[in-house]
Amino acid sequence: MTANSVEIRGLDLAFGAVEVLKDLTLEIPEGEFLVLLGASGCGKSTLLNCIAGLLDITGGQIFIKDRNVTWAEPSQRGIGMVFQSYALYPQMTVKGNLSFGLKNARIPKAEIEERVARAAGILQIEPLLDRKPAALSGGQRQRVAIGRALVRDVDVFLFDEPLSNLDAKLRADLRVEIKRLHQKLRNTMIYVTHDQIEAMTLADRIAIMRSGAIQQLGSPDEIYNRPRTKYVAEFIGSPAMNFLDGTVTERGFIAADTTIPLDGYGWADGVRQGPAWLGIRPEHVVSGELAAGKSFRQEITVELFEPMGADTLVWTTLAGQPFHFNLDGQHKVATGDRMTIGFDAARGSLFGKDTELRL
Ligand SMILES: Nc1ncnc2c1ncn2[C@@H]1O[C@H](COP(=O)(O)OP(=O)(O)O)[C@@H](O)[C@H]1O
Ligand SMILES: [Mg+2]
């Protein structure tokens, strides 16, 4: 017995001669909200479909609640799935859509009523029960699609980019609702997205995928603060991390005529000198008087700025390379302004130029 809800061991999946997933192993504890994050085509849906039993895997094993389901039918796996396309039956009412699967499973009528009422209550779609999908907004349709998974009383929920078809405002609203749903139900949820904000806000742990493999598996905090590869560092964070091209020497990180001290840097595997990238998040840069407290300071010229309300993104050049940072929104700024900025490289990330792995 383990406390894992879902366990994937050495999973291989190929479409013909094309290997999409190779020897993938992943353990998901009971009740975890796990997000699979990665660029389009990296294999997220394929992995989810393997767990759901919609694809026959080439090798490896899948366990759900300690039961080997590698060859079990989708309906026998105790999973509920929500897709990007809502896939509701257009001729049925919301209530019909919610109860359809239960009727097929020959669940007694009274229990169907009870489960539908409960799901409708949780998702606040009671007033919509008699409408047909055509009379619902995108957000309402997606709520019904989630409801259809909810009524099935499953162990594990699988979501495949459920919010991608919605506009930005609705996406943010429904994101919060999905988080609330998880807090209430405490089911295991596996959620696929290419949106790093969704991943950061929803996940207990994020698995960042690239070319069918997991590059890093960790809490949002670990992934944000200690990205294991340059790829992960680039993928997470908005605005994106700065990468300065230079060399680690005994005096610090040197880029052109600029030396940036590395005091206090948490080396992954001891000090490593040589060509490297120094990654600095724009939000970790301070300006003016605050810069005085930082181990690296430099006077810069504002080349361009983007007001974003709460803050302003400023573009400049540092060590001959493009560099951007956040300024407090109350701060007035103009092109050509000179200002002192500062940061601690200890808070940044170094990546070897050869391997692009964290140093
Ligand atoms: N049925 C299929 N036949 C052949 N190749 C496929 C099939 N489904 C997906 N692929 C390929 O597998 C890779 C991963 O696809 P997918 O899992 O859908 O990516 P994601 O969901 O991360 O965008 C892609 O290169 C895609 O072209
Ligand atoms: Mg996909």
Side-chain angles (χ1 to χ4, degrees):
M1 284 294 285
T2 62
N4 283 329
S5 178
V6 178
E7 227 176 292
I8 296 156
R9 296 192 196 147
L11 176 71
D12 296 317
L13 184 118
F15 292 111
V18 184
E19 285 188 315
V20 174
L21 303 173
K22 220 180 141 204
D23 196 21
L24 190 143
T25 290
L26 180 61
E27 295 182 2
I28 305 167
E30 186 67 50
E32 179 166 84
F33 199 124
L34 181 93
V35 173
L36 301 174
L37 175 67
S40 176
C42 72
K44 306 180 295 293
S45 296
T46 302
L47 175 54
L48 208 65
N49 289 336
C50 289
I51 298 170
L54 301 174
L55 288 172
D56 284 340
I57 66 178
T58 324
Q61 292 181 311
I62 299 173
F63 296 79
I64 296 177
K65 290 233 163 170
D66 291 314
R67 197 162 63 89
N68 189 336
V69 298
T70 311
W71 303 109
E73 289 296 317
S75 59
Q76 303 303 312
R77 294 189 179 205
I79 50 119
M81 194 148 173
V82 182
F83 300 93
Q84 176 176 349
S85 59
Y86 325 114
L88 302 177
Y89 298 108
Q91 73 282 13
M92 288 184 198
T93 61
V94 167
K95 192 168 175 188
N97 269 283
L98 291 176
S99 42
F100 182 72
L102 303 178
K103 279 187 189 146
N104 274 356
R106 301 187 188 286
I107 309 264
K109 198 156 181 281
E111 189 177 340
I112 294 180
E113 291 283 330
E114 206 179 291
R115 288 203 204 171
V116 168
R118 176 171 170 267
I122 290 173
L123 294 165
Q124 300 178 340
I125 51 174
E126 290 118 320
L128 311 177
L129 284 173
D130 296 323
R131 287 200 207 165
K132 289 193 174 159
L136 302 175
S137 70
Q140 290 170 332
R141 281 180 213 168
Q142 196 51 296
R143 255 179 225 135
V144 176
I146 295 171
R148 219 171 24 180
L150 215 55
V151 291
R152 294 193 40 232
D153 215 7
V154 294
D155 297 321
V156 180
F157 284 102
L158 307 177
F159 293 92
D160 194 351
E161 312 232 13
L163 309 184
S164 296
N165 284 353
L166 305 175
D167 63 46
K169 167 83 171 76
L170 256 179
R171 211 154 59 214
D173 290 350
L174 221 56
R175 192 176 76 209
V176 174
E177 278 187 39
I178 290 176
K179 188 152 186 157
R180 280 213 183 96
L181 190 67
H182 182 247
Q183 282 183 355
K184 191 176 281 175
L185 303 176
R186 288 286 157 206
N187 283 57
T188 307
M189 295 190 176
I190 307 178
Y191 186 104
V192 162
T193 183
H194 64 270
D195 180 326
Q196 49 124 350
I197 308 275
E198 268 175 41
M200 290 291 286
T201 52
L202 288 170
D204 293 318
R205 281 191 310 164
I206 301 173
I208 300 206
M209 290 181 67
R210 185 186 193 186
S211 309
I214 295 174
Q215 282 231 330
Q216 186 170 3
L217 174 64
S219 68
D221 179 63
E222 283 162 356
I223 299 247
Y224 174 81
N225 287 306
R226 291 187 67 80
R228 214 169 64 77
T229 65
K230 181 166 179 268
Y231 182 80
V232 170
E234 281 167 333
F235 208 92
I236 292 284
S238 174
M241 188 184 263
N242 293 286
F243 293 100
L244 294 172
D245 184 340
T247 309
V248 176
T249 72
E250 54 196 13
R251 286 186 294 128
F253 183 83
I254 297 185
D257 55 355
T258 306
T259 301
I260 301 172
L262 294 174
D263 308 296
Y265 183 78
W267 296 92
D269 192 18
V271 181
R272 283 274 290 279
Q273 295 187 8
W277 301 101
L278 172 61
I280 300 292
R281 294 209 180 273
E283 58 272 30
H284 292 162
V285 177
V286 295
S287 63
E289 285 165 18
L290 290 173
K294 299 295 172 186
S295 61
F296 174 76
R297 290 174 299 281
Q298 173 92 16
E299 199 180 347
I300 57 93
T301 306
V302 175
E303 293 168 5
L304 190 118
F305 63 96
E306 298 178 89
M308 298 198 289
D311 55 9
T312 300
L313 190 63
V314 178
W315 291 83
T316 184
T317 302
L318 189 70
Q321 301 176 44
F323 192 85
H324 57 290
F325 59 95
N326 291 87
L327 262 188
D328 188 294
Q330 309 313 315
H331 207 110
K332 290 278 171 282
V333 62
T335 302
D337 278 359
R338 301 276 292 165
M339 65 174 78
T340 300
I341 61 169
F343 58 80
D344 289 321
R347 224 180 153 186
S349 296
L350 287 164
F351 302 100
K353 286 199 81 172
D354 45 356
T355 59
E356 304 211 333
L357 289 176
R358 184 179 194 86
L359 297 180

